[in-house]
Amino acid sequence: MCVFGRLEIDRLLAVLLIFAAAIVAWPVHAEVRIITWQDLTPEPVPFEDPFEELTGSQLVDLGLVARIRRKQAIGLRMASEEREELAATEEKLTAQGIDIDGLLARRAEITEKRRQAAEAVVPALDGAKVRIAGYVLPIEFEGDKVTEFLLVPFVGACIHVPPPPANQIVHVRHEEGFTTRGLFAPVWVNGALATRLSRENLHLVDGAATQSVGYRLVAKSVESYRE
C-alpha cells in the first residue's frame, strides 16, 4: 500500500491542475476546407418561372410591349409608329400563344424570386476556414498592394460583363496586402468566411455601381494560383 505525505499530494494536485489547464488552453485548429464556387450556392428552392419557356425574341417583344404600355400609363405622348408597333407585336405574341397580360402581371413576383435565389447563401459556411481560387477585382490599395478586393469566379466579372449573382462574389480584406499580377491572374485566398449579404458601392474602371455581395472573408494569405 502506497502512502503519500501531505507535501506529495499537494505537488501531485498542482501537476494535475497544470496539466488540465494545458488541455483546456490547447489550441484547436479547424481544418481548412478547399471549396469551389459551386459550394457557395445553396440547393435551389424550385419555383415556376413562366419566362423560362419564352424564346429570346419573345422576351424582346414582351419587353417592347411593357415599355410602350408604361409610356401609355403615365400619359407620355406616343408617335403613331409606336402605336402601330405595339399593336403588331401584341398580335404576334398572342398568335404564338403568349399570355401577355398574365406574364406582365407576374414580372415583379418572378423578379423578386430570382433575386432571392441569386442572394441565397450557405449558412453552414459561416465562420468556416476555407481556401478558394478566383480572380481579383481590386477595390482598395495601400501603396502598390491590394488590401481590399472582390473575389469572383471568372475574368472581367463586374467590369466587362454582367456581374455574377451575389452568392458568387466574396468581399475580401487582407490587412497585409499583396501585389496583384493583374485581372487575368487567378489567386488562392485563405481565411475565415462570413455569410453576410451586403450591397457595396463600387468605383470601377467603367464607372460606379452598387453590387450585392453574399460573402465576406478576412484573408490570412493570398497566393498566386497553382493547382
Side-chain angles (χ1 to χ4, degrees), residues 157-217:
C158 305
I159 296 181
H160 307 298
V161 295
N167 57 28
Q168 295 293 280
I169 304 177
V170 182
H171 185 165
V172 181
R173 292 184 183 276
H174 185 41
E175 187 175 341
E176 295 179 9
F178 71 102
T179 302
T180 178
R181 294 192 293 124
L183 298 177
F184 299 94
V187 297
W188 280 109
V189 178
N190 304 276
L193 195 65
T195 56
R196 191 176 74 198
L197 181 69
S198 63
R199 286 176 173 79
E200 305 294 332
N201 294 316
L202 306 178
H203 298 277
L204 307 172
V205 293
D206 57 348
T210 299
Q211 176 60 46
S212 295
V213 178
Y215 295 91
R216 289 179 174 272
L217 187 145

Side-chain angles (χ1 to χ4, degrees), residues 36-205:
T36 67
W37 291 96
Q38 186 175 355
D39 294 324
L40 299 181
T41 305
E43 286 295 324
V45 177
F47 65 91
E48 180 195 3
D49 187 346
F51 294 92
E52 290 185 344
E53 301 174 2
L54 304 183
T55 66
S57 61
Q58 288 172 337
L59 287 170
V60 170
D61 288 341
L62 190 64
L64 182 145
V65 171
R67 185 171 62 255
I68 297 178
R69 283 188 178 185
R70 192 179 307 117
K71 291 179 68 174
Q72 286 179 323
I74 62 178
L76 292 179
R77 178 178 294 181
M78 294 174 53
S80 59
E81 292 84 358
E82 282 186 299
R83 294 191 183 92
E84 293 172 2
E85 186 177 23
L86 174 62
T89 305
E90 288 178 334
E91 183 179 353
K92 181 171 69 171
L93 288 173
T94 301
Q96 294 172 351
I98 305 299
D99 179 7
I100 299 173
D101 294 333
L103 287 172
L104 293 182
R106 296 192 63 188
R107 285 180 75 193
E109 170 203 345
I110 300 302
T111 298
E112 176 61 18
K113 287 183 177 180
R114 288 179 176 179
R115 184 194 65 78
Q116 291 175 359
E119 294 182 348
V121 296
V122 180
L125 289 175
D126 193 36
K129 294 182 179 180
V130 302
R131 177 176 172 85
I132 183 171
Y135 294 90
V136 172
L137 181 58
I139 299 176
E140 294 288 342
F141 287 85
E142 176 121 7
D144 61 348
K145 291 188 175 182
V146 179
T147 56
E148 183 179 352
F149 61 95
L150 297 185
L151 189 71
V152 291
F154 52 86
V155 173
C158 305
I159 296 181
H160 307 298
V161 295
N167 57 28
Q168 295 293 280
I169 304 177
V170 182
H171 185 165
V172 181
R173 292 184 183 276
H174 185 41
E175 187 175 341
E176 295 179 9
F178 71 102
T179 302
T180 178
R181 294 192 293 124
L183 298 177
F184 299 94
V187 297
W188 280 109
V189 178
N190 304 276
L193 195 65
T195 56
R196 191 176 74 198
L197 181 69
S198 63
R199 286 176 173 79
E200 305 294 332
N201 294 316
L202 306 178
H203 298 277
L204 307 172
V205 293

